[in-house]
Each structure stands twice: as C-alpha cells, then as structure tokens.
Amino acid sequence: NNPNFGKHFSNEIKQIMSDKKKIIYNGEGNPKAQLTNEQAKNIRNEFKIDKISEKDLSIKYNVKRKVIHRILINQTYKENNK
C-alpha cells in the first residue's frame, strides 16, 4: 500500500523526504495538542508551588492524568531551559 514502492528517487529527494520525517511537534505546535504552552507552565507551577496532585490537575484541565505526568517530567510541552 506504499505509493512509493518500486520508485527510485534522487539523493536530493531522499534527503527532503527524510528531513520531513524528522520534524517533531512538541507542545501546542502539535496538531493534536490538548493544552497551550501557557497552561503547561501553569500546571508545573501549580504542582510545584501549590502542591496540587496530578489527579486534581487532570480534572481541572480536563485531560488524562498521563498528559499531566508527561508535562511534569518534561516529556511534552518542554520548558525552554531544559
């Protein structure tokens, strides 16, 4: 089902195709983002300063706890300084 199966491409085209695959969408730049970068920053602050649990943050922001956890471990919505 691959439309490119059996086709031969120049090295230039292969490089362009490879570069497109390397684009990593993070935070609100991801088309499937559920939160904004500002909300992620607020989540980190509320967890660290206000000691709000992951579960309570997930309820407040209407996302799964897993989303909150990934923000807190800097896996998604990465902070610029890390």
Side-chain angles (χ1 to χ4, degrees):
N1 291 340
N2 184 344
N4 295 325
F5 182 77
K7 294 184 180 179
H8 299 282
F9 297 100
S10 68
N11 289 335
E12 182 182 349
I13 297 298
K14 287 179 184 178
Q15 186 62 46
I16 291 170
M17 291 167 62
S18 176
D19 290 345
K20 285 185 178 182
K21 289 180 183 177
K22 293 178 185 174
I23 296 174
I24 297 173
Y25 297 103
N26 186 35
E28 65 187 15
N30 186 323
K32 294 182 179 182
Q34 297 177 344
L35 302 167
T36 65
N37 291 337
E38 189 65 30
Q39 287 174 312
K41 182 178 176 183
N42 291 340
I43 287 168
R44 286 187 184 96
N45 289 336
E46 291 175 28
F47 182 79
K48 291 176 189 173
I49 297 168
D50 300 334
K51 307 296 184 199
I52 299 176
S53 70
E54 289 183 13
K55 181 181 177 183
D56 290 340
L57 287 169
S58 69
I59 293 168
K60 178 178 178 180
Y61 288 93
N62 196 30
V63 295
K64 293 183 178 181
R65 191 199 61 78
K66 185 185 234 182
V67 173
I68 301 297
H69 181 73
R70 287 179 175 165
I71 291 170
L72 295 175
I73 64 171
N74 211 41
Q75 188 175 6
T76 58
Y77 297 90
K78 295 180 180 179
E79 292 180 294
N80 294 333
N81 60 354
K82 289 190 177 182

